[in-house]
Amino acid sequence: MNHKPLLLPLLDEALKRGPLEPADVAAAARATGLPAAAAWEAVRFYPRYAATGERWLLVDEPVVRSRNFDSLLNALERVALAAGVESGTVYSYGLEALGPALVVEQGAERRVYAPVDEASLERLAAGAEPGPAAGLLPRELAGGGWLLEDPPPPPQFPGAGELIASARAAGLRGLGGAHFPVWRKLEAVRAQDAAEKYVVVNGDESEPGNFKDRWLMEHNPRLVWTGAALAARAVGASEIVFYVRGEYEGALERVEAARRELAASGYLDGLETSTFRGGGLYICGEESALLESIEGKRAEPRLKPPYPAEAGLFGKPTLVNNVETLAHLALVASHGADAYRERRPKLFSISGDVAKPGVYELALGTTLEEALAAAGAGRARAVLLGGAAGTFLKLPDAAGLPLDFEAPRAQGDSIGPGALMVFDETRDLWAVAEGVSAFFAHESCGKCFPCSLGTPHLHRLVWNWRRGQRRPELLHELAQALEQGSLCGLGQAAPWAVRSLLERFVEVNR
Amino acid sequence: MSRVAVVIDGLLVQAEPDWTVLEAARSAGVEIPTLCHHERTGTEGICRLCMVEVAGRMEPACATRVRPGMVVNTRGAAVEQLRRTVLELVALETNVEYDDELSGWMEEYGADPTRWGEPLAGRRQRKPLADNPFFVREYDKCYNCRRCLDACGEGIQGVWALAFTGRGAEAGVTTTFDLELAEAGCIFCGNCVEVCPTGALVPLEELRAAKGGPS
Ligand SMILES: Cc1cc2nc3c(=O)[nH]c(=O)nc-3n(C[C@H](O)[C@H](O)[C@H](O)COP(=O)(O)O)c2cc1C
Ligand code: SF4
Ligand code: SF4
Ligand code: SF4
Ligand code: FES
């Protein structure tokens, strides 16, 4: 390891002994070489260091928002008040496919249940288990496919030139949302002349509606590590940090177990590897904020340039790739670019009004209609494509839209990381938009002015709109300010869902 | 080193290669409003008031290096609307009574904070903190521009008595471990007070003088 110990793991250790005291924070700061002020900033930024006592939390995500969120929250507040326990909400746990979810928080420990209903809340109040534990996604949530089956034996490293050429020939793009060509980033990090380089696996997946990375980390982590190891050898990195979303306890365990297994087999020889428990906020998934959080700072996006490929973790050239992207890289190395191109596999997280919500491996270019049919959608009227940072598509207008990198983009949409949240004609899309705007206001990191000040106003404008008080001109101006003025993708994307609703669903805006 | 030719509001500017768009604009006499940027502290890119249009995209002038052949538009409807919205939100959420420069821009851009209704950030409710003999911290007037943090830490002083806390609209400035300033390691160098653009950090002498008392 070429760097000092990392702050968050040290704080987590201290947290096991009880609530954090300034002395713990000061000691952790000393060990990491960070100023105490920076360590204090981290403590005040990441939610788990503030957690005390017992709290009952309803998971807030777009699907439950379209259904019985208000009544479930009311019921929760009622039973919690009677029990003298604090209640509230937390954002998406990647459980949209299972149904409404509940988190019972005890200090830094959390137990998760899904699906839950009002009867579950009564059980909780009576001291019983409120519903099925949801520490892991059921394996059966995913059907068949290259990414979803047991992985092939880890392939031999074919050499940097060949691996990068295969990634290029395969047409592999980043699958964390932005679809940047993988070969170019590999090439950029490889080209850097530096003694130390890093590979960071982005397993933060906190965008509501997405759970394919969670499934991969829980049920196929070896494939992801394999891809990360190949990438590290290709770019000349000597250390891999696998950043797993902090709330994904099961994924953390499985990723770490897979690391050990693969290390024991010798596949990771010569590479320093670790599993890092993420900060527990959506912004931690933005690549430069993620690097800041590994460094023990507030997870705030950096100004770019420089990009991580030039100056990433601890200022060293760093390859940051999504979990699914690296799994694909391993498949390209195993099966070859030609076989890969024939399939063009992509994972989709499908939830909402479908008979079989889950993780689907579909060929890129599958039409929306075909994807919905695969998951058993009845009478879908709208799809929130991509996730919370996505747009509403209207059906049947969009039925023939190919779900690939280009076609949605040509009309101002994007498959993003691959979420499809499906809503039938009985659902209140403005309730979904209200939830999405609340999410962005809650997750804004506080760095730049338009997003930190503007997202709460976006939420209020949408809230009022839903209740009949409409200010289209303000909504439009704020959407522009957020999209054009925000420092990072969080603020920039915050108004997209609302704007698409305004543009495409004229009939519900009256 | 050879200069970089850029066009700013139709003017051809020969910029030094390490200049920002802001520096290039200023060299040509083009004014761009800035809140967070400060040369000595190195603060940049936070407030987004200095956004300018480059090839149809908005970029912060203070944090964007000149690139050969760049065509920059520092005004125009989109830029002005963005600045107006930022000014309105800042003035709605913050007590801006001490900031004459901001008032000037508000007028220039026709900013009317009342359009947005009641404030949401809770900033205006913050009480003054008087925990030392030199200055008061009135965080109801603080924009979160972070100049003071950079002045105290990496930018100038290397003391790190100040820290940033919270997230989103609730974020703000505190001290290490939320201690009183002196206990947090402050050496009362006064750099933070000097760079604060809003009057949130007020020297006690000034306060006394303003109240007509002995200084
Ligand atoms: C607010 C925000 C959150 C993000 N969250 C994630 C995430 O959870 N996982 C992820 O892989 N990428 C996320 N990204 C995208 C990353 O910044 C980055 O593009 C990605 O990790 C690059 O990997 P890829 O090229 O393999 O997609 C996020 C971006 C933003 C702006
Ligand atoms: S856009 Fe929002 S999340 Fe991104 S840097 Fe600005 S305040 Fe932080
Ligand atoms: S006066 Fe104190 S808080 Fe301000 S910059 Fe100097 S040391 Fe830091
Ligand atoms: S106190 Fe002044 S310098 Fe510090 S963040 Fe607030 S406005 Fe900026
Ligand atoms: S002055 Fe440029 S972003 Fe603040």
Side-chain angles (χ1 to χ4, degrees):
Chain A
M1 206 162 59
N2 290 313
H3 50 80
K4 297 215 168 148
L6 303 175
L7 183 73
L8 268 54
L10 290 175
L11 294 176
D12 289 339
E13 273 306 307
L15 203 57
K16 284 186 192 150
R17 301 189 297 268
L20 289 179
E21 300 292 335
D24 301 321
V25 182
R30 269 194 304 280
T32 59
L34 286 167
W40 187 238
E41 288 188 343
V43 168
R44 288 308 202 81
F45 186 82
Y46 299 105
R48 68 172 172 270
Y49 303 120
T52 51
E54 181 161 352
R55 294 199 301 160
W56 296 347
L57 307 164
L58 182 64
V59 175
D60 185 354
E61 37 84 2
V63 175
V64 72
R65 282 273 185 169
S66 78
R67 298 179 178 184
N68 53 346
F69 177 77
D70 292 337
S71 62
L72 273 178
L73 187 60
N74 276 336
L76 176 66
E77 283 168 353
R78 188 164 34 78
V79 299
L81 192 68
V85 177
E86 214 182 300
S87 63
T89 59
V90 280
Y91 286 97
S92 169
Y93 260 65
L95 295 170
E96 289 83 351
L98 296 189
L102 185 76
V103 176
V104 175
E105 186 180 82
Q106 211 110 41
E109 307 245 312
R110 290 170 157 202
R111 278 169 297 138
V112 189
Y113 304 93
V116 295
D117 54 19
E118 295 193 19
S120 324
L121 301 176
E122 302 297 339
R123 281 197 292 281
L124 177 66
E129 289 284 288
L136 291 168
L137 288 179
R139 197 178 207 304
E140 317 74 64
L141 215 53
W146 269 4
L147 290 136
L148 306 173
E149 291 154 4
D150 286 338
Q156 286 259 308
F157 175 58
E162 193 177 324
L163 186 74
I164 296 175
S166 307
R168 184 173 189 177
L172 184 55
R173 307 248 212 126
L175 302 171
H179 311 152
F180 191 80
V182 172
W183 73 270
R184 278 217 242 152
K185 210 145 73 175
L186 286 166
E187 198 58 77
V189 179
R190 182 190 180 206
Q192 295 288 319
D193 184 17
E196 288 159 47
K197 296 179 188 177
Y198 295 98
V199 168
V200 173
V201 186
N202 190 343
D204 191 61
E205 196 187 58
S206 318
E207 191 177 327
N210 287 288
F211 40 87
K212 49 97 179 167
D213 290 345
R214 175 172 181 167
W215 193 96
L216 276 178
M217 291 189 279
E218 290 177 358
H219 300 293
N220 210 351
R222 194 182 86 194
L223 188 65
V224 185
W225 274 113
T226 303
L230 292 167
R233 296 191 200 287
V235 302
S238 52
E239 183 167 347
I240 304 173
V241 181
F242 197 137
Y243 192 101
V244 181
R245 178 172 174 191
E247 297 95 323
Y248 284 180
E249 305 277 351
L252 273 159
E253 274 169 33
R254 298 264 172 110
V255 166
E256 176 58 13
R259 185 189 72 79
R260 291 203 184 146
E261 230 171 85
L262 210 53
S265 77
Y267 195 72
L268 303 175
D269 283 359
L271 296 169
E272 189 89 48
T273 52
S274 58
T275 306
F276 187 96
R277 182 188 187 131
L281 291 164
Y282 174 47
I283 194 58
C284 294
E286 195 283 336
E287 57 186 7
S288 61
L290 184 150
L291 299 175
E292 291 283 298
S293 91
I294 298 176
E295 292 182 15
K297 301 173 190 154
R298 291 169 57 94
E300 292 183 344
R302 299 172 180 170
L303 291 167
K304 296 169 188 168
Y307 289 90
E310 302 142 34
L313 189 59
F314 298 108
K316 310 290 183 212
T318 303
L319 182 82
V320 185
N321 271 126
N322 169 259
V323 157
E324 188 190 350
T325 310
L326 292 167
H328 283 247
L329 186 66
L331 290 175
V332 170
S334 290
H335 298 291
D338 290 341
Y340 180 89
R341 271 201 87 91
E342 262 166 47
R343 288 210 182 200
R344 304 187 76 205
K346 168 77 190 96
L347 295 184
F348 288 89
S349 312
I350 307 185
S351 62
D353 293 312
V354 293
K356 292 171 290 168
V359 179
Y360 288 81
E361 182 179 309
L362 302 172
L364 277 172
T366 299
T367 63
L368 180 60
E369 195 171 26
E370 290 162 347
L372 293 179
R379 296 157 53 121
R381 174 236 221 159
V383 171
L384 183 51
L385 180 69
T391 49
F392 283 104
L393 299 174
K394 188 174 185 176
L395 288 154
D397 309 9
L401 181 71
L403 300 175
D404 58 17
F405 300 128
E406 298 82 15
R409 204 152 283 195
Q411 57 177 51
D413 304 292
S414 170
I415 61 170
L420 299 178
M421 285 173 274
V422 183
F423 305 103
D424 70 23
E425 67 276 10
T426 66
R427 309 301 181 187
D428 179 355
L429 299 181
W430 276 95
V432 177
E434 184 186 315
V436 165
S437 61
F439 169 74
F440 285 108
H442 185 265
E443 299 296 321
S444 167
C445 79
K447 181 166 184 172
C448 72
F449 289 15
C451 166
S452 61
L453 296 177
T455 48
H457 285 276
L458 180 68
H459 176 236
R460 182 162 70 189
L461 286 166
V462 174
W463 197 94
N464 283 336
W465 189 292
R466 194 177 158 215
R467 289 157 185 81
Q469 218 189 318
R470 299 174 178 179
R471 303 288 303 276
E473 73 303 336
L474 279 189
L475 201 50
H476 177 71
E477 282 174 42
L478 184 57
Q480 292 290 103
L482 284 166
E483 184 172 45
Q484 300 178 342
S486 295
L487 192 156
C488 85
L490 188 151
Q492 289 161 8
W496 291 350
V498 179
R499 198 164 52 197
S500 64
L501 192 54
L502 283 173
E503 284 168 4
R504 291 189 175 137
F505 290 81
V506 184
E507 71 283 2
V508 302
N509 300 328
R510 272 191 226 115
Chain B
M1 259 210 274
S2 64
R3 297 200 157 220
V4 175
V6 296
V7 176
I8 302 181
D9 293 349
L11 301 168
L12 181 65
V13 181
Q14 298 288 347
E16 295 290 341
D18 62 344
W19 276 1
T20 61
V21 171
L22 182 65
E23 287 171 298
R26 286 191 174 154
S27 80
V30 174
E31 278 303 317
I32 297 171
T34 61
L35 272 179
C36 67
H37 172 68
H38 194 279
E39 247 150 55
R40 280 178 66 222
T41 61
T43 313
E44 60 181 20
I46 306 266
C47 72
R48 322 299 280 179
L49 192 65
C50 69
M51 298 298 270
V52 294
E53 208 177 303
V54 184
R57 282 175 45 104
M58 298 281 193
E59 298 193 40
C62 72
T64 304
R65 305 271 142 203
V66 290
R67 302 184 290 265
M70 205 178 205
V71 178
V72 181
N73 187 356
T74 78
R75 302 293 295 213
V79 171
E80 287 178 16
Q81 189 193 305
L82 171 58
R83 288 191 192 146
R84 184 171 67 235
T85 306
V86 172
L87 288 167
E88 286 178 341
L89 292 174
V90 169
L92 175 73
E93 301 292 355
T94 328
N95 177 352
V96 297
E97 66 184 74
Y98 291 2
D99 192 341
D100 296 336
E101 197 173 33
L102 192 94
S103 309
W105 290 326
M106 303 250 314
E107 206 158 300
E108 181 181 346
Y109 287 91
D112 172 13
T114 63
R115 300 194 304 144
W116 299 89
E118 291 297 307
L120 290 171
R123 232 180 233 181
R124 284 171 169 276
Q125 277 76 52
R126 293 178 183 157
K127 300 273 172 287
L129 299 171
D131 61 0
N132 71 81
F134 301 101
F135 58 94
V136 182
R137 295 179 286 144
E138 300 187 2
Y139 287 132
D140 62 322
K141 303 185 179 67
C142 169
Y143 300 162
N144 286 351
C145 77
R146 306 199 187 194
R147 284 184 186 180
C148 57
L149 292 148
D150 291 336
C152 191
E154 213 160 87
I156 304 179
Q157 207 57 40
V159 168
W160 284 284
L162 299 175
F164 205 57
T165 185
R167 300 188 308 271
E170 273 141 43
V173 182
T174 182
T175 55
T176 307
F177 304 129
D178 299 337
L179 292 167
E180 295 198 343
L181 257 183
E183 287 173 61
C186 171
I187 55 167
F188 301 104
C189 66
N191 276 308
C192 56
V193 179
E194 197 172 305
V195 299
C196 176
T198 69
L201 306 179
V202 207
L204 272 171
E205 300 162 34
E206 263 178 38
L207 268 187
R208 289 202 196 96
K211 287 194 182 123
S215 72

